Amino acid sequence: MKRIKVSNNVIRRMPRYLRKLDDLTAAGVERISSGELGRQMGLTPSQIRQDFSCFGEFGQQGYGYNVVALRGEIAKILGMDRNYTAVLVGVGNIGRALVENFSFEQYGYKLKAAFDVNPDVIGSEIHSVPVYDFSKLEESLTAIRPDVAVLCVPKTMANEVAKEVCACGVHSIWNFTNTELQLEDTDVIVENIHFSDSLLALGYYLSESLDEAEAKAARARKD
Amino acid sequence: MKRIKVSNNVIRRMPRYLRKLDDLTAAGVERISSGELGRQMGLTPSQIRQDFSCFGEFGQQGYGYNVVALRGEIAKILGMDRNYTAVLVGVGNIGRALVENFSFEQYGYKLKAAFDVNPDVIGSEIHSVPVYDFSKLEESLTAIRPDVAVLCVPKTMANEVAKEVCACGVHSIWNFTNTELQLEDTDVIVENIHFSDSLLALGYYLSESLDEAEAKAARARKD
């Protein structure tokens, strides 16, 4: 796929579009205008058209977008048709939550194996995903050659494990360890899910909302 | 706190600054220039100064920033000093992961209670957090009056539970249900952790990286 450099803000909107288009399909909607899509997503129609124009011409003047076709284009853009494989390291609470409840396959990923140090889980299968001994990580990764390593190990082990998976040639890391990974190989893609960043952003918006309500009440009292 | 409207991109950087400043303090660093902070965070010094100028004057010309003082200011901006309280609904894998492993207190939140339908966990305590019967949600929320409800229930129950917590006057929702919440009350702050959006963004960057490597190899073969 020929690519131009697209801004991160646009990239981050693409999965939202995908989710919305899936909801529309589930609701039996076959086509949608940029205006209506924008209304439903809280975006301006021109923003939507601008976003898609980074990748191609997906709509038709006067018709709008065909929901299924647009969804197909976005799925390709997001690599959902590339049969990416993943392994998960660290079958603690978060790791187990992902293996049991997160549908990797729905997003085009095959979760091939998980790794842990706990003898109670090693050798078992969770939702058909085999759990291997963490001490065998290197040889397993060399055999499996996954595209993504999902890191769910404790914070204190995060960098050590990250280093090991990179040394085995894994291209990308989905990082649930809640710490910044210090990697030497800057070609490795790291996608962080920082719970704390999210909660603190909530704290900002909550404080802003409460302050505004307080200021409004104070003005009302003066009147 | 008097507030001006700040862009979401700036707001989303504030928790990153906080993490970085905590790392600096742990490393014994007392002061830092915007240049050095930028180098370590992959931001330009002018971006950093611009971000902070939304909130006040935090640095000193020629001195840079005092790490502890700056951290204190950012913590206030993010509502960490407001003693917010939270409840968690749905003690499945994700919910349990949060109660057991996520330090709400470190970010200024007191997790007061959790709720579930499973009789095996109702009446127990997880890390000093009491688990109550989900059927008693309304009366409990009315008594506790939390600022945040952390939603970890199955997707199919997400909107029903969200509606209930809003009806009890909860100001904000930290949403782990992996679905978009349809709320009538648009004053409620919703912060989503959409695992799928994150994985799909990773898929974009991974595909882009692999395509670039492929294009580079193709050019090398021509030469």
Side-chain angles (χ1 to χ4, degrees):
Chain A
M1 184 187 286
K2 216 176 165 83
R3 286 183 185 272
I4 62 167
K5 194 68 193 156
V6 179
S7 95
N8 290 334
N9 285 340
V10 177
I11 294 164
R12 295 284 163 183
R13 278 194 287 275
M14 301 310 284
R16 285 184 55 198
Y17 288 123
L18 192 95
R19 276 190 288 110
K20 168 53 70 176
L21 292 165
D22 282 344
D23 289 345
L24 289 171
T25 297
V29 176
E30 289 186 6
R31 77 186 222 201
I32 192 163
S33 66
S34 49
E36 181 54 29
L37 189 55
R39 250 185 306 278
Q40 295 195 21
M41 292 188 65
L43 299 167
T44 63
S46 69
Q47 177 76 78
I48 293 180
R49 286 192 294 268
Q50 221 174 307
D51 284 355
F52 295 154
S53 70
C54 297
F55 305 104
E57 286 305 312
F58 298 149
Q60 260 182 298
Q61 192 78 10
Y63 177 88
Y65 301 101
N66 178 282
V67 171
V68 166
L70 181 58
R71 198 272 187 195
E73 294 290 348
I74 294 174
K76 268 192 262 180
I77 288 162
L78 295 171
M80 292 173 75
D81 60 339
R82 300 225 189 176
N83 299 313
Y84 287 138
T85 56
V87 296
L88 186 140
V89 189
V91 190
N93 285 325
I94 287 281
R96 182 174 285 272
L98 288 168
V99 180
E100 289 188 0
N101 301 122
F102 183 75
S103 173
F104 284 88
E105 301 218 351
Q106 187 179 342
Y107 304 102
Y109 290 79
K110 176 74 180 160
L111 184 60
K112 305 273 270 181
F115 296 86
D116 203 84
V117 297
N118 182 356
D120 292 340
V121 292
I122 291 168
S124 72
E125 268 193 9
I126 306 175
H127 283 219
S128 317
V129 178
V131 184
Y132 299 134
D133 193 331
F134 175 72
S135 65
K136 306 260 190 301
L137 186 68
E138 199 184 327
E139 53 190 269
S140 305
L141 291 190
T142 308
I144 299 171
R145 307 192 64 76
D147 300 294
V148 188
V150 187
L151 255 56
C152 304
V153 297
K155 208 182 261 204
T156 46
M157 294 182 59
N159 272 299
E160 173 196 325
V161 175
K163 199 168 162 184
E164 209 171 327
V165 307
C166 291
C168 296
V170 178
H171 299 294
S172 61
I173 292 177
W174 199 19
N175 178 27
F176 281 87
T177 65
N178 275 303
T179 191
E180 211 68 28
L181 299 178
Q182 320 288 347
L183 299 177
E184 282 164 21
D185 184 351
T186 46
D187 279 341
V188 173
I189 309 294
V190 179
E191 173 66 16
N192 295 305
I193 293 234
H194 284 313
F195 290 168
S196 60
D197 284 14
S198 177
L199 182 58
L200 291 175
L202 185 155
Y204 179 91
Y205 292 118
L206 177 57
S207 303
E208 180 188 54
S209 170
L210 293 173
D211 285 352
E212 276 169 12
E214 174 64 37
K216 196 170 170 182
R219 284 194 297 273
R221 283 193 295 268
K222 283 191 180 163
D223 302 336
Chain B
M1 184 184 290
K2 216 177 168 81
R3 288 182 183 272
I4 61 168
K5 193 68 191 158
V6 180
S7 94
N8 289 334
N9 285 340
V10 176
I11 294 165
R12 295 284 163 184
R13 278 193 289 275
M14 302 309 284
R16 285 183 56 198
Y17 288 125
L18 192 96
R19 276 190 289 109
K20 168 53 69 174
L21 291 166
D22 282 343
D23 290 344
L24 289 170
T25 298
V29 177
E30 290 186 4
R31 77 185 220 201
I32 192 163
S33 66
S34 49
E36 181 54 29
L37 188 57
R39 252 183 303 279
Q40 295 195 22
M41 293 187 65
L43 299 167
T44 63
S46 69
Q47 177 73 80
I48 294 180
R49 288 193 292 269
Q50 222 174 307
D51 283 356
F52 295 154
S53 70
C54 296
F55 305 105
E57 287 305 312
F58 298 150
Q60 261 181 299
Q61 193 76 10
Y63 177 87
Y65 300 101
N66 177 282
V67 171
V68 166
L70 181 58
R71 198 272 187 196
E73 293 290 348
I74 294 173
K76 267 192 264 181
I77 288 161
L78 295 170
M80 292 173 76
D81 60 339
R82 301 228 188 174
N83 299 312
Y84 287 137
T85 55
V87 297
L88 187 139
V89 189
V91 190
N93 286 324
I94 287 282
R96 183 174 283 273
L98 288 167
V99 179
E100 289 188 0
N101 301 121
F102 183 76
S103 175
F104 284 88
E105 301 218 349
Q106 189 179 339
Y107 303 102
Y109 291 78
K110 176 74 180 158
L111 185 60
K112 305 273 271 183
F115 296 86
D116 203 87
V117 297
N118 181 355
D120 292 339
V121 290
I122 292 169
S124 72
E125 269 193 10
I126 306 174
H127 283 218
S128 316
V129 178
V131 184
Y132 298 134
D133 193 331
F134 175 72
S135 65
K136 306 256 190 302
L137 185 69
E138 199 186 326
E139 53 191 89
S140 305
L141 292 190
T142 308
I144 299 171
R145 308 191 65 75
D147 299 295
V148 188
V150 187
L151 254 56
C152 304
V153 297
K155 207 181 260 203
T156 45
M157 295 181 59
N159 273 299
E160 174 198 323
V161 176
K163 198 170 162 184
E164 209 171 325
V165 307
C166 291
C168 296
V170 179
H171 299 293
S172 61
I173 292 175
W174 199 19
N175 179 26
F176 282 87
T177 65
N178 276 304
T179 189
E180 212 69 29
L181 298 177
Q182 320 288 345
L183 299 177
E184 283 164 19
D185 185 350
T186 48
D187 278 344
V188 174
I189 310 293
V190 178
E191 173 67 14
N192 296 306
I193 293 233
H194 285 312
F195 290 166
S196 61
D197 284 13
S198 177
L199 181 58
L200 291 174
L202 185 153
Y204 179 90
Y205 292 118
L206 177 56
S207 303
E208 181 187 54
S209 169
L210 293 173
D211 285 352
E212 275 169 12
E214 174 62 39
K216 199 171 170 182
R219 284 194 298 273
R221 284 193 295 269
K222 281 192 179 163
D223 301 334

